[in-house]
Amino acid sequence: MDRPSFYLAAFLAVVVMAVVAEEMYSDMFDHIKPEDILPNDELRNQYYNCLMDTGPCVTEDQKFFREHAAEAFVTKCRKCTDIQKQNVEKIVVWYTENRPDEWTAMVQKLLEDAKKLNISPVV
């Protein structure tokens, strides 16, 4: 490989790694455990109301989740960390088993928000 081609290949590899690294959601709230929130009616409703735009987002993590929820949902969490994927699974299972009407409303809201943001679902 000649020198210019090598430099171009190296540059492209760095760009690809940077793009991949930038595409993940921040892990700053990965320490928050759904199993601490879901059984607590007051706390769970606070998160739910924030997500549904029916109440204020009180904490920074609620604001973060609200900001990324629609994209994460329709892209099947492709930018999520492994912990975020596990947490989303716990939330989905809990809501589908315990509050299916709220889950249906959340899904509808997330799809509407994704459409407004022009985010295409992953098939």
Side-chain angles (χ1 to χ4, degrees):
M1 182 182 289
D2 63 349
R3 188 166 251 162
S5 296
F6 172 77
Y7 287 124
L8 178 61
F11 173 75
L12 290 175
V14 169
V15 168
V16 168
M17 287 188 304
V19 168
V20 169
E22 288 177 24
E23 293 225 1
M24 300 300 287
Y25 298 130
S26 171
D27 64 355
M28 68 189 295
F29 298 114
D30 281 9
H31 66 281
I32 295 174
K33 297 178 178 10
E35 55 271 20
D36 294 338
I37 297 167
L38 293 169
N40 181 322
D41 290 345
E42 183 178 343
L43 193 53
R44 183 189 63 251
N45 288 336
Q46 193 179 80
Y47 278 83
Y48 180 81
N49 291 334
C50 168
L51 181 72
M52 298 297 289
D53 290 328
T54 57
C57 296
V58 178
T59 62
E60 290 304 310
D61 61 303
Q62 290 173 2
K63 293 173 188 171
F64 175 83
F65 297 145
R66 172 70 186 101
E67 180 182 342
H68 299 292
E71 179 184 42
F73 181 74
V74 299
T75 64
K76 298 182 181 176
C77 227
R78 75 161 188 230
K79 295 182 184 180
C80 294
T81 66
D82 288 340
I83 291 172
Q84 291 164 354
K85 289 176 184 177
Q86 292 167 8
N87 288 342
V88 166
E89 179 66 23
K90 290 174 187 177
I91 292 166
V92 170
V93 168
W94 190 91
Y95 269 97
T96 56
E97 290 178 356
N98 297 285
R99 303 280 179 138
D101 292 341
E102 288 181 5
W103 174 246
T104 300
M106 263 195 283
V107 168
Q108 183 177 353
K109 174 84 166 102
L110 293 171
L111 290 173
E112 289 170 4
D113 289 352
K115 187 175 182 178
K116 289 177 192 172
L117 295 169
N118 203 27
I119 302 169
S120 300
V122 172
V123 183

